[in-house]
Amino acid sequence: MSDAPETAPPHARPSGNNALLLLALGALGVVYGDIGTSPLYAFRESFHEGHGIPATAENIIGVLSLIFWSLIIIITIKYLVFVMRADNHGEGGILVLTTLIMPARDPRRGTGRWWLIMLGLFGTALLYGDGIITPAISVLSAVEGLGVATPLFEPFIIPITIAILVALFWFQRHGTERVGRIFGPVTLVWFVVLGSLGLWWITRQPDVLAAANPLHGLNFFRHNGWPGFLVLGSVFLVVTGGEALYADMGHFGRTPIRLAWFAVVLPALLLNYFGQGALLITNPAAIENPFYHMAPSWALYPVVALATFATVIASQALITGAFSLTRQAVQLGYLPRVVIDQTSPSAVGQIYIPTVNWLLLASCIALVLVARSSTRLAAAYGLAVTTTMVVTTLLLFVVARERWKWSLPVAVLFAAFFLVIDLGFWGANVMKIPAGGWFPLLVGVLVLTVMTTWKRGRQLLRQIMGKRAVRFSDFAAGFDSAGVVRVPGTAVYMYSDPECTPPALLHNLEHNKVIHEKVILLSIKVNEVPYVPAAERVEVHPLQNGFYRVVLCYGFMEDPDVPRDLALARERGLPLEPGEAT
């Protein structure tokens, strides 16, 4: 919860003198893949004909000013300085942020804290909609560069996009560890190309640098009125990767992520956006696809290939994020258990969830077939992320008050400043609902319904079983070992409540009239922290008459491994021979 120590899990950190640079390079590929591909479509969509804003020099400078200050205020100040301080043992993400405000007991329905938690869960659910749209719009916008090169490719853009998406999702079952080493270097090359293309055009039209003055952004609103406000919905596309910074913090740590941003990502993005502005001032007709028009004709095909590779990497990060989010929700009891495959023996974050993978692929293909252009997808893009950002600000206010102990006036001013900006973007994106913005909202509502229904069902089932449960203290008091046949060996009975007697044990005793010499009452507990150290994994409590209570503790980022961790219990004094246990 502070900036002092880096607390990401040790598996995510290479050792050696170059550890910081290696982590920063890895962050380029995973953390910044999404925001790094926004130049493909964000500036173009700001002058979409539907806005009715002509690409005059004054308007171009105004939009550039909005882009510049959006990157500074939202990404640099809000996320990198403040939001990333709100970690749970080094892990980040809106679901993690929600756990930071959860009380020890589930709050009563309808209370203020209950509504806050529901907002956090809704923000989490919306990220699934983002995980569907991002691969579709990123890959499609990259492949559309072929149409800029020659009209001959126009009929093949959709099939090529679908083929790339199928290959991308098919590869998930092999895990990303094999190609992870090249993600960072390729993305570094991408950012170098972004900056180089932009710098080339800035030198030809240096007047665009005046956009760093925020007055140009204010004048843009003053001159264009309501249509100018609606442009914010497209400007927001430049910061849609903000949540990825926070969600992937546990894999790299704050310092490497910040280093990559200030040293590479921010300069490259600003140079490219300003370069696109310089191009449009010189040639307004290039608004059809300013990013690809920046490239010289001889470099167009290599840039299209590199952009396609970069979008695949960006999509990879969102898919992996959906897997991690699902595992967190399962462990916290908000989603039913699904098959989770560990694809790496060393990296805990490398997982594959077949159900989520194929649902995402089917949804992505359906979106591409329906929309058929990145411009139409852009109409659906942004609402989910900006809603999540509004929720993040609200939750961060509570964290600032309760965890950071900020005074009420300071916390209110802090939240109000960012809420004004977040709600401005949110309001502009709400206007996209009829044009496709309804899709991520629909996905969010469906996922939230599943999460809350499953959680509530588990609570009701626990209450019903709790009424029928026999506390072990009552069982032990009435247990007459003389009247029961004790057979050699060890029996392990699992039950969720460590204070109660497992029903399977009671049924066995009632019907078979026998019980093993050693009986282990095993419970698994998922703590509201990402990882539980091995030293705190096992709790062993000797009882009477050969009974032992064992509690295995896990974090919500971990998958339980009972056989492995029962072996750890032997070191805590548990007389267990795994080969003899039933």
Side-chain angles (χ1 to χ4, degrees):
M1 289 294 300
S2 67
D3 266 342
E6 293 284 1
T7 51
H11 66 266
R13 299 178 177 273
S15 58
N17 295 330
N18 295 325
L20 181 60
L21 292 178
L22 288 174
L23 285 168
L25 183 63
L28 285 178
V30 177
V31 177
Y32 293 112
D34 185 13
I35 199 170
T37 54
S38 295
L40 287 167
Y41 47 81
F43 196 77
R44 177 193 69 197
E45 294 305 317
S46 298
F47 290 98
H48 185 268
E49 58 184 13
H51 296 312
I53 303 293
T56 62
E58 185 180 25
N59 285 335
I60 290 169
I61 298 293
V63 170
L64 283 176
S65 183
L66 296 176
I67 290 174
F68 176 86
W69 287 105
S70 296
L71 289 169
I72 296 299
I73 294 176
I74 294 181
I75 303 299
T76 306
I77 298 177
K78 178 182 175 180
Y79 276 90
L80 287 172
V81 175
F82 290 106
V83 175
M84 289 181 68
R85 291 183 60 204
D87 68 290
N88 191 339
H89 291 70
E91 291 292 332
I94 189 166
L95 189 55
V96 169
L97 186 61
T98 304
T99 65
L100 293 177
I101 69 164
M102 284 184 178
R105 294 183 177 180
D106 292 331
R108 251 182 339 109
R109 296 172 64 86
T111 61
R113 185 56 55 102
W114 182 85
W115 281 111
L116 270 176
I117 293 173
M118 287 300 104
L119 278 176
L121 293 176
F122 184 53
T124 301
L126 285 173
L127 291 180
Y128 284 95
D130 188 37
I132 295 171
I133 298 176
T134 296
I137 189 175
S138 297
V139 176
L140 183 56
S141 62
V143 177
E144 283 173 344
L146 295 172
V148 176
T150 171
L152 295 176
F153 279 107
E154 286 289 346
F156 304 103
I157 289 177
I158 300 301
I160 291 174
T161 299
I162 293 175
I164 292 174
L165 288 172
V166 170
L168 171 65
F169 282 93
W170 177 84
F171 180 77
Q172 299 306 310
R173 63 193 183 94
H174 298 291
T176 58
E177 189 177 26
R178 297 181 189 176
V179 296
R181 294 178 182 176
I182 67 171
F183 276 13
V186 170
T187 311
L188 178 60
V189 173
W190 169 250
F191 281 116
V192 170
V193 170
L194 286 182
S196 301
L197 291 175
L199 186 60
W200 167 248
W201 282 98
I202 290 173
T203 58
R204 302 170 72 175
Q205 189 64 250
D207 292 346
V208 294
L209 296 176
N213 184 344
L215 293 178
H216 288 289
L218 296 176
N219 288 334
F220 176 81
F221 291 133
R222 186 165 58 88
H223 292 154
N224 293 287
W226 178 250
F229 172 74
L230 294 181
V231 169
L232 278 180
S234 298
V235 170
F236 183 76
L237 296 174
V238 308
V239 296
T240 50
E243 281 296 320
L245 300 177
Y246 185 35
D248 290 319
M249 180 172 61
H251 295 287
F252 300 97
R254 285 184 293 266
T255 301
I257 290 176
R258 288 170 176 166
L259 175 62
W261 174 256
F262 288 108
V264 178
V265 182
L266 180 60
L269 290 177
L270 291 179
L271 285 173
N272 193 267
Y273 285 124
F274 277 55
Q276 291 189 44
L279 166 67
L280 289 186
I281 291 177
T282 305
N283 178 21
I287 190 58
E288 175 192 3
N289 206 320
F291 175 80
Y292 285 116
H293 280 294
M294 280 200 301
S297 57
W298 59 266
L300 187 54
Y301 285 110
V303 170
V304 170
L306 182 61
T308 303
F309 207 158
T311 56
V312 168
I313 293 173
S315 302
Q316 175 68 58
L318 265 294
I319 297 167
T320 303
F323 292 161
S324 298
L325 198 64
T326 301
R327 179 169 64 178
Q328 294 177 25
V330 168
Q331 294 295 70
L332 291 172
Y334 285 105
L335 286 178
R337 295 199 175 276
V338 292
V339 175
I340 300 177
D341 296 333
Q342 189 74 36
T343 60
S344 168
S346 58
V348 176
Q350 298 285 344
I351 59 174
Y352 169 65
I353 304 179
T355 304
V356 175
N357 187 67
W358 301 122
L359 284 175
L360 287 178
L361 173 60
S363 302
C364 284
I365 292 176
L367 272 183
V368 170
L369 290 175
V370 171
R372 307 194 71 81
S373 77
S374 59
T375 294
R376 290 184 179 178
L377 280 177
Y381 199 35
L383 183 57
V385 184
T386 191
T387 303
T388 302
M389 286 186 174
V390 171
V391 173
T392 296
T393 300
L394 294 173
L395 298 180
L396 200 63
F397 168 77
V398 180
V399 171
R401 287 283 294 143
E402 297 180 355
R403 300 274 181 154
W404 300 342
K405 306 302 180 184
W406 286 11
S407 65
L408 182 60
V410 171
V412 168
L413 287 174
F414 167 80
F417 173 75
F418 288 111
L419 270 179
V420 167
I421 298 171
D422 290 340
L423 289 174
F425 281 119
W426 182 80
N429 277 283
V430 163
M431 299 296 107
K432 295 181 177 182
I433 290 179
W438 56 268
F439 175 76
L441 289 181
L442 176 63
V443 173
V445 169
L446 290 176
V447 174
L448 178 65
T449 301
V450 172
M451 294 174 73
T452 53
T453 302
W454 186 261
K455 183 72 170 181
R456 181 60 178 161
R458 284 172 57 92
Q459 290 173 341
L460 293 174
L461 182 61
R462 191 180 303 117
Q463 291 174 6
I464 294 172
M465 295 182 67
K467 293 177 180 178
R468 301 176 180 175
V470 177
R471 297 190 65 81
F472 183 78
S473 55
D474 297 334
F475 169 79
F479 180 71
D480 182 9
S481 59
V484 176
V485 177
R486 305 298 292 263
V487 297
T490 303
V492 180
Y493 292 94
M494 296 185 67
Y495 194 53
S496 58
D497 189 344
E499 300 298 326
C500 292
T501 310
L505 170 62
L506 297 176
H507 292 160
N508 182 60
L509 188 59
E510 178 182 357
H511 294 289
N512 299 322
K513 313 299 183 185
V514 298
I515 198 166
H516 288 74
E517 289 179 343
K518 291 188 286 290
V519 178
I520 297 173
L521 311 179
L522 176 64
S523 297
I524 291 179
K525 178 182 178 184
V526 178
N527 297 332
E528 292 180 356
V529 296
Y531 302 95
V532 173
E536 303 173 12
R537 173 83 67 209
V538 182
E539 300 175 9
V540 177
H541 306 279
L543 303 174
Q544 54 189 355
N545 293 319
F547 286 86
Y548 298 84
R549 178 182 295 124
V550 177
V551 180
L552 299 181
C553 301
Y554 297 91
F556 57 76
M557 292 287 288
E558 298 177 292
D559 294 321
D561 190 332
V562 173
R564 178 198 66 194
D565 295 325
L566 271 181
L568 291 177
R570 296 178 60 187
E571 303 173 8
R572 308 287 196 281
L574 182 68
L576 172 66
E577 292 296 334
E580 300 178 2
T582 301

